Amino acid sequence: MKKTYTQLRAFHAVALHGNFTRAAESLNLSQPALSEQIKNLERLYGQDLFIRSNKKIQLTNDAKELLILTTDFFEAERKINKFLAPHENVAKVITVAIDSGRNFSRFLKEFYSRHPEVSVSIRTGNSRQCLNMLTSGEVDLAVSAGELSDNEYGRVILGNSAIVALVSKNHPFSARESIEWSDLAGQTLILREIGSETRAITDKYLVGKGDIQMNIMNVSGREAASDLTATGIGLSFISENEISSQRAFKILPITDMPYSMNSNFYFRVKDEDDAYLASFIRIINDLT
């Protein structure tokens, strides 16, 4: 069962993330090792689970049914571990998925001051990945800009931030004080990956404004987008509260940007009877 468990965990991660690279990162595995576990699972049961084409993957009908079962399975595992933890001679650990840690450290600091006996494990990902980790039972809590409309989960809005343009100090736009839609003509726009709330908002903005000639560069991850922007090759859009340093960049308001971004703290309503999780939730409410 141990071998099958590992393979099912690999399948579950790929199905949730929709991408072998991100799934491997979430499990701290190499991509070849993860792919081999999926192949072994498919060989073991004699059926394909993913349709692979042009680096995109889709779930087969059998895989969709299996995902429902693995979601239930790992949720049951989480509940079992939670039940047994108070009876074991082990440290208590709370797991949190965050899409941005910039405004979260103050909550962690307060929680540690009240509960030094508890460890907090941080998982990172984009907005969609963090919500997937929460709903699949991989983590206890999540901070995400994404929307989760499910009455099984509670939400606290930590803040709201404008979407701004980011350019390097050597970009031609660095002499400006703001930009608008028409200024993007002929420019290179660096876009985050699908699943990022910044990307979702940018896509809505672009679609709403119509066609304009520009170069699009797709990258995966906030750090990669920031590094490329710093070279001056193009500009990127970002939530203002996610900017960690202004030294290398010029921040430009987008005068016709109608959207902003919430930072949301999510928790399972049914977990409020857990003393430590309830304390974490109270701290979030008290300091927000």
Side-chain angles (χ1 to χ4, degrees):
M1 175 61 185
K2 183 177 180 181
K3 187 174 182 180
T4 305
Y5 174 89
T6 302
Q7 294 165 354
L8 288 174
R9 173 65 81 180
F11 161 78
H12 190 70
V14 174
L16 286 178
H17 291 283
N19 180 283
F20 276 82
T21 300
R22 290 194 291 269
E25 291 173 352
S26 73
L27 296 175
N28 293 317
L29 292 173
S30 67
Q31 188 170 331
L34 177 69
S35 297
E36 186 62 26
Q37 290 182 4
I38 296 297
K39 291 177 182 177
N40 288 338
L41 184 64
E42 290 177 324
R43 282 195 292 263
L44 182 63
Y45 292 102
Q47 54 185 299
D48 291 333
L49 297 172
F50 299 104
I51 302 170
R52 304 164 175 88
S53 62
N54 298 325
K55 296 185 179 180
K56 294 182 180 180
I57 62 169
Q58 292 180 307
L59 275 66
T60 64
N61 290 333
D62 288 330
K64 291 176 182 177
E65 294 183 22
L66 181 59
L67 179 58
I68 294 173
L69 296 174
T70 56
T71 298
D72 291 342
F73 176 76
F74 289 118
E75 173 65 10
E77 179 190 43
R78 187 190 68 83
K79 290 179 179 178
I80 291 170
N81 289 335
K82 178 181 173 182
F83 173 78
L84 292 176
H87 308 287
E88 297 175 338
N89 187 24
V90 295
K92 172 69 177 178
V93 178
I94 289 176
T95 54
V96 187
I98 61 174
D99 62 359
S100 174
R102 180 150 177 79
N103 294 316
F104 196 64
S105 59
R106 61 193 179 106
F107 303 118
L108 286 174
K109 183 177 180 180
E110 180 63 23
F111 182 79
Y112 279 135
S113 72
R114 299 186 192 184
H115 305 288
E117 74 279 12
V118 181
S119 297
V120 178
S121 176
I122 301 294
R123 302 277 298 276
T124 59
N126 64 36
S127 300
R128 183 183 300 172
Q129 290 167 348
C130 289
L131 292 182
N132 285 342
M133 283 187 270
L134 178 66
T135 57
S136 69
E138 293 181 55
V139 299
D140 300 302
L141 307 165
V143 176
S144 171
E147 295 292 325
L148 182 57
S149 300
D150 189 325
N151 57 16
E152 293 185 9
Y153 298 90
R155 178 177 78 156
V156 179
I157 299 177
L158 303 179
N160 180 271
S161 179
I163 301 298
V164 298
L166 202 65
V167 299
S168 70
K169 293 292 180 67
N170 61 355
H171 191 280
F173 281 5
S174 63
R176 299 188 178 211
E177 295 304 318
S178 65
I179 65 167
E180 60 182 22
W181 163 253
S182 60
D183 295 324
L184 297 178
Q187 298 297 317
T188 296
L189 183 59
I190 301 167
L191 296 181
R192 288 279 306 277
E193 74 284 358
I194 299 296
S196 156
E197 189 65 16
T198 305
R199 173 61 182 267
I201 290 176
T202 302
D203 285 346
K204 284 197 296 183
Y205 174 72
L206 296 179
V207 170
K209 290 293 185 179
D211 292 331
I212 196 171
Q213 191 65 39
M214 71 178 77
N215 300 314
I216 298 295
M217 182 180 297
N218 293 288
V219 300
S220 180
R222 183 182 298 109
E223 184 176 354
S226 178
D227 288 345
L228 282 169
T229 302
T231 68
I233 195 172
L235 68 154
S236 57
F237 288 178
I238 189 171
S239 170
E240 194 167 19
N241 68 4
E242 293 176 346
I243 301 171
S244 58
S245 173
Q246 299 184 19
R247 288 179 297 176
F249 300 104
K250 176 73 176 288
I251 301 168
L252 299 173
I254 306 169
T255 57
D256 57 353
M257 170 63 74
Y259 308 109
S260 60
M261 184 186 297
N262 282 336
S263 178
N264 307 297
F265 173 78
Y266 290 104
F267 57 93
R268 297 182 190 84
V269 173
K270 62 186 177 184
D271 282 347
E272 289 184 280
D273 58 348
D274 180 294
Y276 290 124
L277 292 178
S279 178
F280 212 126
I281 295 165
R282 283 195 300 271
I283 289 170
I284 296 290
N285 279 301
D286 291 345
L287 298 183
T288 300

